[in-house]
Amino acid sequence: GAGVSQSPRYKVAKRGQDVALRCDPISGHVSLFWYQQALGQGPEFLTYFQNEAQLDKSGLPSDRFFAERPEGSVSTLKIQRTQQEDSAVYLCASTRTSQETQYFGPGTRLLVL
Amino acid sequence: QKEVEQDPGPLSVPEGAIVSLNCTYSNSAFQYFMWYRQYSRKGPELLMYTYSSGNKEDGRFTAQVDKSSKYISLFIRDSQPSDSATYLCAMSPGYSSASKIIFGSGTRLSIRP
């Protein structure tokens, strides 16, 4: 069956440019998570949705980062005015219920020049 | 100091060897302990999880948790070249989606044929 998919897989942005990263969770999965993984580091939590409600956004590094999941399925992570320190892999994960293990997508590799 | 510390490696062992991967942590509230495997250019996939202290075995993999020492381990028996990947320890205070998962930085493992 289809897993979590993310697009684009690779994104090169000029500093100051806005980017939008998309996550398609496994169909029917209620919870959705975004993580940021810097080179040589483990994933770090950014934000969490249960259906369309954003229940925790404490990991978003600045107000340049914004995430939405308007219909409780697809989610978009938007980064405004990108900076070089935003270069990382952005991972999306989903779970069927709030009590299950997280399934990760392949990530979007963002490079800000 | 990070909440979860993990030796980044790289660790290189011959095929068939027993591999030992370890993490230490500082937050005594952690109750759930996980090991993820991450192949290059892929998202993490859950290998094993354990609750509180003790051992858990699954095929060639054994996870150990020692809460008194705040130390967790993953052992891989009869290691195979296909086990070459980055191994991430992870932990959280609870199992629900509302409990943030904190990841170690990952240990890069290479199994030599």
Side-chain angles (χ1 to χ4, degrees):
Chain A
V4 177
S5 62
Q6 294 186 244
S7 61
R9 291 294 314 276
Y10 302 91
K11 177 70 179 176
V12 179
K14 292 182 180 177
R15 189 159 54 98
Q17 188 178 351
D18 296 350
V19 298
L21 312 179
R22 176 186 169 109
C23 172
D24 284 81
I26 295 172
S27 178
H29 276 204
V30 166
S31 299
L32 185 145
F33 306 79
W34 283 99
Y35 292 85
Q36 181 189 60
Q37 186 173 24
L39 188 64
Q41 299 298 315
E44 290 197 2
F45 172 84
L46 294 177
T47 187
Y48 153 57
F49 290 85
Q50 189 165 313
N51 295 306
E52 69 278 4
Q54 189 174 18
L55 298 186
D56 188 341
K57 54 181 181 179
S58 62
L60 296 176
S62 76
D63 58 8
R64 296 186 297 103
F65 287 72
F66 172 77
E68 59 182 5
R69 194 186 185 200
E71 296 178 359
S73 55
V74 171
S75 177
T76 303
L77 176 67
K78 297 179 179 177
I79 309 173
Q80 297 177 322
R81 306 181 302 282
T82 52
Q83 304 294 314
Q84 284 186 319
E85 62 263 28
D86 299 335
S87 297
V89 175
Y90 291 84
L91 293 163
C92 175
S94 69
T95 66
R96 189 167 59 91
T97 71
S98 64
Q99 299 290 332
E100 290 191 353
T101 187
Q102 297 183 22
Y103 293 89
F104 282 83
T108 293
R109 189 172 297 266
L110 173 65
L111 177 62
V112 181
L113 301 175
Chain B
Q1 186 185 1
K2 291 183 177 180
E3 278 188 283
V4 179
E5 297 280 359
Q6 184 174 9
D7 187 334
L11 181 62
S12 180
V13 302
E15 184 175 356
I18 295 175
V19 176
S20 172
L21 304 168
N22 313 292
C23 287
T24 59
Y25 64 94
S26 58
N27 188 346
S28 57
F30 289 141
Q31 295 285 342
Y32 286 90
F33 304 90
M34 293 150 276
W35 285 95
Y36 284 80
R37 178 174 62 195
Q38 186 172 25
Y39 291 113
S40 181
R41 312 283 187 195
K42 302 285 188 184
E45 57 175 327
L46 182 67
L47 274 178
M48 300 185 71
Y49 77 90
T50 53
Y51 172 68
S52 196
S53 284
N55 293 1
K56 186 173 183 179
E57 189 173 319
D58 184 1
R60 297 185 295 112
F61 298 89
T62 299
Q64 286 185 351
V65 175
D66 181 349
K67 289 189 68 181
S68 63
S69 302
K70 295 190 177 67
Y71 188 87
I72 70 171
S73 301
L74 178 71
F75 297 96
I76 307 173
R77 290 184 299 280
D78 187 26
S79 55
Q80 305 294 311
S82 58
D83 295 327
S84 298
T86 295
Y87 288 79
L88 299 155
C89 64
M91 44 201 82
S92 73
Y95 196 57
S96 74
S97 296
S99 297
K100 280 182 224 170
I101 297 176
I102 307 298
F103 286 84
S105 56
T107 298
R108 198 150 47 95
L109 173 66
S110 175
I111 309 297
R112 305 189 302 270

